[in-house]
Amino acid sequence: MEIIFKPIGYVHSSFTNPDDMPRQPKSSNHAPGQIEILDAYTAGLKDLDGFSHIVLLCYFHKSKEVKLLVNPPRKHEGEVGVFASRSPSRPNPIGLSVVRLDKIEGNLLYISGHDLLDGTPVLDIKPYLPEVGDTSNIRFGWLDGHIQT
Ligand SMILES: C[S@@+](CC[C@H](N)C(=O)[O-])C[C@H]1O[C@@H](n2cnc3c(N)ncnc32)[C@H](O)[C@@H]1O
């Protein structure tokens, strides 16, 4: 099966070098950015402005290779499987970021605390809801001791 998605918009960001930017929204020091939604999809923004945080599903358009074993920065020795990581070098290079939604003006979403390169295509946006999913008794695998809850 082949699946074809079209972007609903694009990220405007000051980050232009993937090697010199935050690795997760929480470490991005409230980095500001905007998402420009394409005209065809702006009607879908109705009522989103009441949410403080949104989930972004993005296409890692600058991802150069697929790696099934990766060496994330917090793994000091050896490799982990890509599906046990949040690496952009994935078979389907899709990113998932939870960011703060500061305001919406027309087709522009002002966000902060993101980890995305300028020009990143956005595939979908959803309101962040802490109640989605059973998150009791979370284990952090090889990241145990590195995660602040
Ligand atoms: C570790 S990923 C995490 C992204 C998302 N928060 C997630 O968990 O899916 C963040 C890194 O991806 C890289 N990156 C961000 N936007 C990208 C893009 N459009 N194409 C390729 N790499 C990108 C940058 O190196 C950034 O530090």
Side-chain angles (χ1 to χ4, degrees):
M1 183 192 290
E2 192 180 6
I3 304 167
I4 298 173
F5 288 128
K6 290 184 182 162
I8 60 161
Y10 294 89
V11 173
H12 297 298
S13 155
S14 60
F15 301 131
T16 53
N17 179 355
D19 299 325
D20 185 21
M21 56 180 285
R23 302 242 160 220
Q24 281 302 335
K26 258 193 165 178
S27 56
S28 67
N29 221 357
H30 309 293
Q34 288 121 43
I35 301 167
E36 184 174 352
I37 301 295
L38 301 180
D39 287 346
Y41 304 105
T42 51
L45 296 175
K46 184 172 180 296
D47 299 318
L48 185 64
D49 58 355
F51 292 89
S52 63
H53 291 75
I54 53 176
V55 179
L56 300 178
L57 292 163
C58 296
Y59 176 58
F60 287 127
H61 69 310
K62 296 284 185 183
S63 186
K64 295 190 196 89
E65 54 190 340
V66 175
K67 290 186 192 167
L68 296 183
L69 295 174
V70 297
N71 201 330
R74 287 183 285 191
K75 179 87 169 110
H76 298 303
E77 275 177 34
E79 297 169 312
V80 300
V82 68
F83 302 125
S85 86
R86 306 203 60 126
S87 164
S89 305
R90 328 179 64 81
N92 292 313
I94 291 173
L96 185 157
S97 300
V98 176
V99 302
R100 177 169 281 280
L101 176 62
D102 297 316
K103 63 177 176 178
I104 300 178
E105 284 180 356
N107 69 334
L108 277 186
L109 275 61
Y110 289 79
I111 59 170
S112 51
H114 74 91
D115 56 357
L116 298 165
L117 280 172
D118 188 48
T120 297
V122 178
L123 301 176
D124 202 3
I125 298 172
K126 303 184 187 201
Y128 172 72
L129 301 178
E131 69 186 24
V132 172
D134 177 358
T135 52
S136 54
N137 301 318
I138 300 177
R139 292 185 293 126
F140 295 110
W142 64 268
L143 277 164
D144 203 19
H146 295 277
I147 300 291
Q148 291 173 347
T149 52

